[in-house]
């Protein structure tokens, strides 16, 4: 008895004894008259075995298994179990029900923490009670082992602090996560009339801002689906038949205001889900999760968190393998964090692991993508300071579908991946590793202050059409190309396949202040700013949409003899540009512009003049034009080193300023339809033989030189003035073609003339100063 009394005294309790049970007075302020007593027990076993307790008694335990183990609590003795089944059954047939609880911890419910027992049983009870009483869970310390228990529902704030959870993955199943963060609110059941349905279909389309029929559902997430209208058919033999029902999801504000851009036009809908969004944020903070790594089973198995509650913030967590354990799972996993149909959610200060997939020996590979973060139908999701990196063995940590207004900030991830339909994506201040950025969708794609290590800076997923139906803006980034047959900044390469939605290579593209770090790059292949599919029109008749404006500014390549190629265009008349262009023999009106400004271009001077060795190349050009939406291109090159291009069959306006023109081919299919403007340029072919010299500058409208300098060609690195005869627009003292203002001759030519005892005639000098095509 003295031990119990000492414990109570340390708690500041006045101790009385009766029948061997420690008591303290329990009085009200009504004249300081004692109206009851609190009976103290060292642990739950002592409480359960006490047969003298009666209904209405109030008791306290000093711990659950033993005093000071953190499980102390206060109970009311009752003849009935509570609705949460949290009451403790006593030997005398009564129940001890928790009272005066301001926060729940797991020891209060009897977790064992011995590495053998499934502590998930007690943890699930703790959360059930906390959910029912609307209480937070504050469990700042302790180690807990989760085995067969799943679907531990979280409805209230959780503080885990330094708690450690050991997850035995041999009990992973395809059916349930360990934890489910959910709302207490139920979906709204609403049957829309035929007229309401028709009104919704008519209004719910791109550009919609208000749908009056949704006014009653302010504060809800609306999910619309039409299973009879399929989009996003997936290319590839192993994906035959895979597709998505056309679907959209938006958040509704006051008076039916719609938040979340709508991308699709619906003919009908088969489902509308009206999902409540809580007015408060639920926070889950802290904790570390150790995985055993031995998940097994068929298909995708689950662990970790299923998040189906909007306005959920998860922060300050670490996920890793148990010490000494390896990821031996033969099957794929869904994400440790899996989001579904949620609005306004955040992961912050999270460290997790990508899972192994491509192990040594095919028999050891995981047969499908396996993910650390997964989910779909997220609106306004933010991942901040999330870290998940691995080696080439690991699959990308990221695998999601149908995301809108998605922000990744300050993260270090081995991959960012949205399989199907991301709309508005920002990647800021981050580093993306070996698996790269792999996405499809549309809206605003904004990438700033981010490094990517991959074959491509952005891989627009081929299996979902390699599309981005929106504006692409990349600034102040670094690209570290992986070893590959070729690398590129933007990779648009759909299959010749009917994806059942438009294929768009961006509405506009703006890339500036990009550093390409090839210092330690082993890749010997070419590096393209844009890599496009080998066709502009698909077999089923669909035309690929080409951007109206493309800009690359200040692209610097580090690495000896490294530089970039710009783009290869295939059958330009097949592309579709939203704006209209035209050529009528008098005027060319471009409907698309490409600007290349201060870009480190690849040096072709030591390579043979083969078709592939061009910075801009048109393949399968044609004499005819399909219509006004075919590609009528303005190409502007500014502040670039030696440029080579072959644009035969492309109606174009070409502007080259403060750059070196090394080769220009345009007349394979006849004189170029369009015009050329050269300003403050050097005309300087760099070739390996005289036969390779190509300056095909004839156009149907105009060719203009302004303040340019003409040099003799460099052949194998040396000026060869005698090869000036290969230029068809100039012959010293005899002819000068096209329009010129202040055209100069390089010192290499002047020195050669002097060595030959020749000089420029006054008439020819006058022509160099000012000459018009009309004078010919």
């Amino acid at each position: 008895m003295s031990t119990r009394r000492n414990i109570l005294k340390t708690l500041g309790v006045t101790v009385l004894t009766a029948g061997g049970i420690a008591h303290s007075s329990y009085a009200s302020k009504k004249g300081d008259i004692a109206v009851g007593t609190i009976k103290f027990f060292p642990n739950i076993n002592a409480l359960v075995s006490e047969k003298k307790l009666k209904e209405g008694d109030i008791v306290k335990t000093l711990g659950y298994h033993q005093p000071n183990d953190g499980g102390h609590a206060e109970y009311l003795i009752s003849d009935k179990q509570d609705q949460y089944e949290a009451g403790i059954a006593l030997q005398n047939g009564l129940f001890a029900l928790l009272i005066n609880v301001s926060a729940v911890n797991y020891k209060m419910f009897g977790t064992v923490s011995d590495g053998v027992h499934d502590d998930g049983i007690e943890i699930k009870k703790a959360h059930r009670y906390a959910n029912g009483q609307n209480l937070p869970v504050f469990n700042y310390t302790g180690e807990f082992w989760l085995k067969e228990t799943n679907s531990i529902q979280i409805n209230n704030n959780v503080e885990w602090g330094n708690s450690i959870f050991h997850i035995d993955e041999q009990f992973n199943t395809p059916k349930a996560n360990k934890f489910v963060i959910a709302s207490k609110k139920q979906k709204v059941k609403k049957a829309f009339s035929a007229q309401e349905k028709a009104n919704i279909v008519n209004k719910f389309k791109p550009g919609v801002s208000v749908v009056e029929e949704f006014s009653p559902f302010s504060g809800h997430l609306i999910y619309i689906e039409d299973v009879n209208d399929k989009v996003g058919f997936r290319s590839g033999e192993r994906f035959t038949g895979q597709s998505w029902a056309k679907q959209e999801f938006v958040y509704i504000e006051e008076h039916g205001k719609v938040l979340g851009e709508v991308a699709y036009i619906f003919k009908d809908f088969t489902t509308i889900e009206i999902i409540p969004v809580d007015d408060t944020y639920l926070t889950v903070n802290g904790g570390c999760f150790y995985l055993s790594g031995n998940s097994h089973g068929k298909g995708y198995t689950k662990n970790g968190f299923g998040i189906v509650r909007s306005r959920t913030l998860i922060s300050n967590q670490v996920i890793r393998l148990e010490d000494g354990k390896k990821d031996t799972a033969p099957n794929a996993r869904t994400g440790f964090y899996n989001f579904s149909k949620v609005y306004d959610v955040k992961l912050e200060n999270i460290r997790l692991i990508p899972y192994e997939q491509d192990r040594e020996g095919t028999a050891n590979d995981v047969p499908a993508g396996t993910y650390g973060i997964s989910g779909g139908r997220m609106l306004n999701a933010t991942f901040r300071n999330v870290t998940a990196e691995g080696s080439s063995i690991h699959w990308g940590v990221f695998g999601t579908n149908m995301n809108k207004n998605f922000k990744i900030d300050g993260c270090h991830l081995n991959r960012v991946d949205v399989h199907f339909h991301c709309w508005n994506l920002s990647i800021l201040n981050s580093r993306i590793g070996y698996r790269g950025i792999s996405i499809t969708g549309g809206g605003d794609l904004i990438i700033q202050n981010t490094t990517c290590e991959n074959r491509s800076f952005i891989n627009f997923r081929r299996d979902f059409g390699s599309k981005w139906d929106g504006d692409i803006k990349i600034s102040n980034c670094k690209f570290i190309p992986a070893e590959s047959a070729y690398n590129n900044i933007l990779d648009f390469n759909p299959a010749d396949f009917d994806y059942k939605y438009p294929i768009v290579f961006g509405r506009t593209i703006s890339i500036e202040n990009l550093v390409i770090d090839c210092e330690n790059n082993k890749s010997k292949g070419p590096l393209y700013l844009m890599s496009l599919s080998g066709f502009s029109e698909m077999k089923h008749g669909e035309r690929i949409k080409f951007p109206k404006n493309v800009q690359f500014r200040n692209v610097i390549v580090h690495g000896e003899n490294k530089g970039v190629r710009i783009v290869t265009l295939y059958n330009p008349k097949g592309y579709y540009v939203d704006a209209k262009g035209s050529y009528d023999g008098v005027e060319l009106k471009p409907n698309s512009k490409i600007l290349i400004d201060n870009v480190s271009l690849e040096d072709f001077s030591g390579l043979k003049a083969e078709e592939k060795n061009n910075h801009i190349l048109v393949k399968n050009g044609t004499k005819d034009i399909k219509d006004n939406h075919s590609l009528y291109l303005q190409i502007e090159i500014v502040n670039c080193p030696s440029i080579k291009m072959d644009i035969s069959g492309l109606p174009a306006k070409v502007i080259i300023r403060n750059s070196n023109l090394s080769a220009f081919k345009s007349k394979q299919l006849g004189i170029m339809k369009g015009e050329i403007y050269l300003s403050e340029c050097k005309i300087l072919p760099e070739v390996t033989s005289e036969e390779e010299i190509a300056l095909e500058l004839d156009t149907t409208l105009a060719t203009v030189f302004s303040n340019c300098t003409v040099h003799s060609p460099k052949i194998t690195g040396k000026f060869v003035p005698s090869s000036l005869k290969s230029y068809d627009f100039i012959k010293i003292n005899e002819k000068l073609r096209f329009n010129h203002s202040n055209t100069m001759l390089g010192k290499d030519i002047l020195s050669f003339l002097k060595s030959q005892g020749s000089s420029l005639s006054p008439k020819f000098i006058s022509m160099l100063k000012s000459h018009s095509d009309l004078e010919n």
Side-chain angles (χ1 to χ4, degrees), residues 41 370 456 645:
F41 296 87
T370 180
S456 307
M645 63 175 75

Side-chain angles (χ1 to χ4, degrees), residues 4 7-8 11 13 21-22 38-50 53 58-77 88 90 96-99 105 107-110:
R4 293 179 186 171
I7 293 170
L8 292 168
L11 298 175
V13 177
I21 302 175
I38 299 178
K39 300 177 181 180
F40 286 84
F41 296 87
N43 54 38
I44 292 297
N45 283 340
L47 170 62
V48 168
S49 62
E50 176 53 52
L53 293 173
I58 296 174
V59 301
K60 286 188 176 181
T61 59
L62 305 182
Y64 195 96
H65 298 292
Q66 59 187 16
N68 288 333
D69 67 2
H72 56 278
E74 186 172 353
Y75 300 87
L76 173 67
I77 304 304
I88 296 170
L90 308 181
L97 309 184
L98 284 165
I99 59 171
N105 72 63
K107 289 295 185 181
M108 290 168 59
F109 289 80

Side-chain angles (χ1 to χ4, degrees), residues 670-691:
I671 295 176
M672 172 182 153
K673 296 175 181 177
E675 50 203 331
I676 299 172
Y677 297 89
L678 305 173
S679 177
E680 298 180 346
C681 291
K682 291 182 179 179
I683 313 303
L684 178 53
E686 297 183 71
V687 294
T688 61
S689 69
E690 185 176 295
E691 292 72 28

Side-chain angles (χ1 to χ4, degrees), residues 85-102:
E85 298 184 359
I88 296 170
L90 308 181
Q91 288 184 1
N92 64 2
L94 300 177
F95 295 91
L97 309 184
L98 284 165
I99 59 171
N100 297 330
V101 180
S102 59

Side-chain angles (χ1 to χ4, degrees), residues 8 20 47 60 95 114 142 145 149 162 181 194 244 276 359 384 442 452 537 563 594 602 605 682 692 766:
L8 292 168
L47 170 62
K60 286 188 176 181
F95 295 91
D114 63 357
W145 278 259
T149 302
N162 295 322
I181 302 176
W244 289 74
R359 302 184 180 108
R384 180 170 288 124
C452 180
E537 191 170 2
I594 294 178
E602 183 178 349
S605 61
K682 291 182 179 179
E692 295 175 1
S766 178

